[in-house]
């Protein structure tokens, strides 16, 4: 069963890379097109920092944090004590997202972002960022509602 989770994480990273490839080959930097008008657009931007371009240009820091985070995620993923499906699923999403953004950082020295929410003023982000966010929410839900049952 653990292998399936790793395959899903790889598929998340691959989907993220495919969408980034699509954006790079079809958009100019800064170009924007509606996907679902009023809901979201694709806007091609390059981000050499973290969210909100924090720590811009500090690639070695992001390499180290990404490698450490992958190690922590894999530790919890393979630890028999943490065997709840919601917790493991959250880890899978986080792992796929970390790998998707790490590939960009290693290959390009920046991260490609494209998802622009039109209904709220928010930073442009990518599929990997979305996967990390969903994974964190899943883990919080596990911690809030299920952890006591598993103890």
């Amino acid at each position: 069963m653990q292998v399936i989770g790793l395959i899903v994480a790889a598929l998340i990273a691959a989907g993220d890379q495919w969408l980034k490839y699509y954006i790079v080959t079809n958009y100019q930097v800064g170009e924007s097109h509606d996907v679902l008008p009023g809901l979201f657009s694709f806007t091609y931007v390059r981000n050499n920092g973290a969210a909100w371009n924090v720590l811009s240009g500090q690639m070695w820091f992001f390499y180290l944090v990404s490698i450490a985070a992958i190690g922590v995620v894999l530790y919890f993923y393979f630890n028999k004590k943490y065997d709840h499906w919601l917790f493991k699923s959250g880890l899978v999403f986080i792992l796929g997202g970390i790998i998707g953004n790490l590939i960009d950082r290693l290959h390009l020295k920046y991260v490609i972002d494209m998802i622009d929410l039109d209904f709220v003023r928010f930073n442009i982000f990518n599929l990997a960022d979305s996967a990390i966010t969903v994974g964190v929410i899943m883990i919080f839900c596990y911690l809030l509602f299920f952890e006591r049952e598993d103890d």
Side-chain angles (χ1 to χ4, degrees):
M1 197 65 176
Q2 290 177 331
V3 173
I4 292 171
L6 297 177
I7 291 170
V8 170
L11 290 172
I12 290 168
D16 174 68
Q17 289 297 302
W18 178 86
L19 181 55
K20 290 171 179 175
Y21 175 79
Y22 172 80
I23 294 298
V24 168
T25 57
N26 291 287
Y27 288 68
Q28 298 294 318
V29 175
E31 185 177 353
S32 183
H33 295 281
D34 286 338
V35 176
L36 291 174
L39 196 57
F40 79 96
S41 306
F42 282 157
T43 302
Y44 176 17
V45 296
R46 296 175 178 172
N47 182 352
N48 65 354
W52 296 278
N53 223 12
V54 173
L55 298 172
S56 181
Q58 303 298 316
M59 280 304 122
W60 284 106
F61 174 75
F62 293 114
Y63 298 151
L64 293 174
V65 167
S66 296
I67 296 301
I70 289 169
V72 169
V73 167
L74 290 175
Y75 167 79
F76 282 104
Y77 186 75
F78 287 107
N79 190 322
K80 299 283 188 222
K81 181 180 175 189
Y82 306 98
D83 204 32
H84 194 277
W85 67 270
L86 187 59
F87 186 79
K88 294 250 189 213
S89 298
L91 293 173
V92 165
F93 274 75
I94 292 170
L95 182 62
I98 293 169
I99 291 170
N101 281 338
L102 181 59
I103 290 169
D104 280 11
R105 287 192 169 98
L106 290 171
H107 176 66
L108 303 169
K109 308 297 186 243
Y110 57 84
V111 173
I112 297 166
D113 289 329
M114 78 291 296
I115 301 170
D116 192 0
L117 300 178
D118 297 332
F119 61 91
V120 65
R121 188 84 170 123
F122 194 72
N123 273 1
I124 298 169
F125 56 96
N126 60 42
L127 197 58
D129 299 333
S130 300
I132 292 168
T133 301
V134 168
V136 168
I137 290 168
M138 293 170 90
I139 288 173
F140 275 135
C141 287
Y142 165 77
L143 293 172
L144 287 172
F145 302 113
F146 298 103
E147 182 184 31
R148 290 191 190 134
E149 292 175 13
D150 289 347
D151 284 343

